Amino acid sequence: MKIECAGVVILPLLALLFRNSRIVPIDQTDIIMAVVAGLLGFLLVLWQPRSKVNHFIQQFVRLVELFIFPASLTTGLCALTRLLVGELIPANILAYIIILILLICLFPLIQLVIVPESNTLFRMLFIFVFFASRVPLSMRLYIINYSSSSNSVATWMLLIGFSMLCIYVMREWGYPLPKFRINTTVNYGWLLLLVVVALLELGLSAGSWHVIFTKFELQVASGSIGYILATVIGICLKEEFIFRYLMLFPLFDRRKAFNHSQIILGVLVSSLLFGLWHVQNIPYQGLAATSLQVVSGFTAGVIWSTICLYTGTIWIAVILHCLLDLVGFPEVSSVYAQGVSPFLIQFTVVVGILEIMVSTFLLVNRNQLGAFEETVKYLDS
């Protein structure tokens, strides 16, 4: 980690010497962030907190470092590459090489900051911030004249690479990968009921109750294969990976025996986080529509998390998520982006109540606890 910290500080400073000749297009903000990231890294390597106050401060420093270090390291690698090879190698090849080196260099960071953490709350916070830190990285590649977009190869490499690093962290914490097989003690009648209620959200695109009951027809996505893959992997699978794996599994203390309250807490916390995830849509949808989407996200999260913990697999939730995004409303980024209507409010509330009721009935049903306990035992395997 000391080598990475030194590189984060030195490389941009070296590149700054060439800034006026436009060899490396970085600014003072990049330099300041790099120096801060490097110094915080050295501080975390050397710091041994001896009080609760110091420990809390260290946790805050860890959070900051998790978010800014990958960006600063990317800047440094891009600056070094630009200095050494200039434009002799195509920008896309350089970008792929830089991302591979970056992912390797991030191992000491996660070993120092994330893996040793034992507190459940900070575990979830650290891994979420780390996973989110990948978002601005592709934009840093402008230094080597690489033009990035949401569907560029570099963006996909970062998504896959950071996902693999998060899986490594989860494995280090003792949590296995989501399994494919459904728990043997699942009651398929209950599972069918959960799936049917979850699929009611397909009606969001109807626009009115009259259309639902008279001439509602499901629309299948008509986009390209690239659009469908981007939706399935870049939205549905990614969000389920975050909220039904990274933000759900760590809520279960593997050192304790099965506890019914852990199941309920896991469903509520992961669902609340999933709902709040949609707050980022405020700039595009407005406050009213986004607030309604947050509610819808929470209630959908409740039934999807319940299905996940009941069956022991996230893949049913992934399939449901894909159906809702590709079949329910394929022509727009979100039903809520079209504005709030009386029907949308009514439908969101009605379906949300049904989702919470059915999930609650299952969660409090003592006869069905065996399936949930089977999931917890798998997490402890």
Side-chain angles (χ1 to χ4, degrees), residues 214-231:
T214 59
K215 54 181 179 180
F216 176 65
E217 296 180 2
L218 296 178
Q219 297 179 350
V220 180
S222 57
S224 64
I225 297 297
Y227 163 76
I228 295 176
L229 288 176
T231 301

Side-chain angles (χ1 to χ4, degrees), residues 111-257:
Q111 287 284 5
L112 173 68
V113 177
I114 308 180
V115 172
E117 185 57 52
S118 58
N119 180 275
T120 299
L121 176 62
F122 280 109
R123 275 185 170 183
M124 295 172 63
L125 197 55
F126 285 171
I127 202 166
F128 180 80
V129 169
F130 176 73
F131 190 73
S133 71
R134 86 191 189 283
V135 175
L137 299 188
S138 59
M139 293 184 290
R140 307 306 302 161
L141 298 174
Y142 80 93
I143 297 173
I144 57 171
N145 292 326
Y146 180 84
S147 180
S148 180
S149 68
S150 59
N151 287 323
S152 64
V153 175
T155 301
W156 283 104
M157 287 181 66
L158 287 168
L159 175 60
I160 295 172
F162 270 71
S163 298
M164 296 300 294
L165 289 175
C166 288
I167 290 173
Y168 167 76
V169 172
M170 293 289 282
R171 295 290 294 173
E172 286 294 296
W173 286 341
Y175 297 103
L177 282 169
K179 64 180 182 178
F180 288 93
R181 295 182 61 182
I182 295 176
N183 289 338
T184 58
T185 52
V186 164
N187 182 303
Y188 284 90
W190 271 105
L191 179 57
L192 178 61
L193 178 60
L194 290 167
V195 170
V196 169
V197 172
L199 286 176
L200 290 177
E201 297 218 14
L202 290 170
L204 280 169
S205 59
S208 70
W209 293 106
H210 175 73
V211 172
I212 284 182
F213 292 114
T214 59
K215 54 181 179 180
F216 176 65
E217 296 180 2
L218 296 178
Q219 297 179 350
V220 180
S222 57
S224 64
I225 297 297
Y227 163 76
I228 295 176
L229 288 176
T231 301
V232 171
I233 301 175
I235 298 178
C236 305
L237 181 56
K238 181 190 73 176
E239 291 186 355
E240 295 309 306
F241 176 77
I242 296 173
F243 296 103
R244 251 58 70 183
Y245 179 54
L246 299 182
M247 296 292 106
L248 183 58
F249 282 18
L251 288 169
F252 296 91
D253 192 340
R254 300 169 60 255
R255 296 166 297 182
K256 298 180 181 178

Side-chain angles (χ1 to χ4, degrees), residues 29-75:
T29 303
D30 297 324
I31 302 300
I32 293 173
M33 189 168 71
V35 172
V36 171
L39 292 178
L40 290 181
F42 279 118
L43 181 62
L44 289 174
V45 171
L46 302 174
W47 192 2
Q48 298 294 330
R50 299 182 181 277
S51 67
K52 291 185 178 180
V53 174
N54 286 339
H55 179 71
F56 180 80
I57 295 174
Q58 187 189 55
Q59 297 293 69
F60 176 77
V61 171
R62 285 179 172 180
L63 279 174
V64 174
E65 183 73 344
L66 280 173
F67 192 76
I68 68 173
F69 188 86
S72 296
L73 184 57
T74 303
T75 300

Side-chain angles (χ1 to χ4, degrees), residues 225-337:
I225 297 297
Y227 163 76
I228 295 176
L229 288 176
T231 301
V232 171
I233 301 175
I235 298 178
C236 305
L237 181 56
K238 181 190 73 176
E239 291 186 355
E240 295 309 306
F241 176 77
I242 296 173
F243 296 103
R244 251 58 70 183
Y245 179 54
L246 299 182
M247 296 292 106
L248 183 58
F249 282 18
L251 288 169
F252 296 91
D253 192 340
R254 300 169 60 255
R255 296 166 297 182
K256 298 180 181 178
F258 173 74
N259 189 333
H260 186 207
S261 61
Q262 276 190 323
I263 299 293
I264 298 176
L265 178 65
V267 168
L268 290 177
V269 172
S270 62
S271 302
L272 179 61
L273 292 174
F274 181 59
L276 293 175
W277 170 260
H278 296 88
V279 170
Q280 63 184 308
N281 295 328
I282 288 180
Y284 317 105
Q285 301 175 168
L287 180 60
T290 303
S291 299
L292 194 60
Q293 189 180 25
V294 168
V295 173
S296 178
F298 169 73
T299 59
V302 168
I303 199 163
W304 291 349
S305 295
T306 300
I307 290 173
C308 175
L309 293 177
Y310 186 57
T311 62
T313 176
I314 71 169
W315 300 108
I316 296 177
V318 171
I319 293 172
L320 290 171
H321 201 153
C322 292
L323 287 173
L324 294 178
D325 279 13
L326 292 173
V327 178
F329 33 91
E331 302 302 327
V332 293
S333 59
S334 168
V335 167
Y336 300 96

